[in-house]
Amino acid sequence: MSTAETLLEDLVSASRILADQGICDAFGHVSVRNPDNPGTYFLSRARAPQLVTRQDIMEFSLDGRPVGDDERKPFLERFIHGCIYAARPDVHSVVHSHSRSVIPFSISPSKLRPVIHSCATIGHDVPVWDAQDVFGDTNLLVSSEAMGRDFAKSLGKGRSALMRGHGSTVVGATIREAVYTAVYLEVNADLQIKASALGPITFLTPGEIDRIQARLADGKPGEGYDRAWEYWCQNARVDSSA
């Protein structure tokens, strides 16, 4: 298969994995930048991630317009993806979800920070974007380019960001990295909530975070993102060979 076709198969697998891992339910979505045209990206039509197939994938320009004559219903919040790709040339995959342990950190003063080595990919800082600050009362969905650009500004150069009373978005240099970070953002939130009941938390240091991220980025066969991907594909009953 061509590189683009392989990525589209991975995109379908990513949707199934995120559903199987409880990161997405009927809602949430994952995209990948077009390797042959960085000014477009691939994202499923509006459909529950567990049900996404290769035939559901649509192509969009960075302003959220479907490429060609595709008239299928797109995700309303596709602007999250396009605006991040426009702002971040280093990003090649985006995951948006509403995983439940993460939500409390978007509506409380507690900052979400890495507490365990496997969660270092969430980044040094996980900002909280509040639509209210710029747009006033909304339905909290990122439903326009203006909102998408403002959220991308809040994400900055980071790997993950929360949306107040809504959910979270993570990015990666690859689909596998973005999926890994989305899964472990939820893991970190759950562990941090549990640890907070026991007393002060010892968080990872900035140096530890940098070293762990560098090791995972090495991309050695059978390690890091690939090992997790193979395991999650098995659980979700999708092909890990793509």
Side-chain angles (χ1 to χ4, degrees), residues 42-58:
F42 298 108
L43 176 69
S44 169
R45 68 183 174 96
R47 195 175 195 194
Q50 180 66 43
L51 305 178
V52 169
T53 68
R54 170 66 183 83
Q55 289 67 42
D56 293 315
I57 305 302
M58 301 173 65

Side-chain angles (χ1 to χ4, degrees), residues 179-199:
V179 168
Y180 181 101
T181 302
V183 171
Y184 280 104
L185 185 73
E186 169 66 18
V187 169
N188 196 93
D190 178 62
L191 292 174
Q192 189 171 334
I193 289 169
K194 290 174 178 174
S196 66
L198 303 177

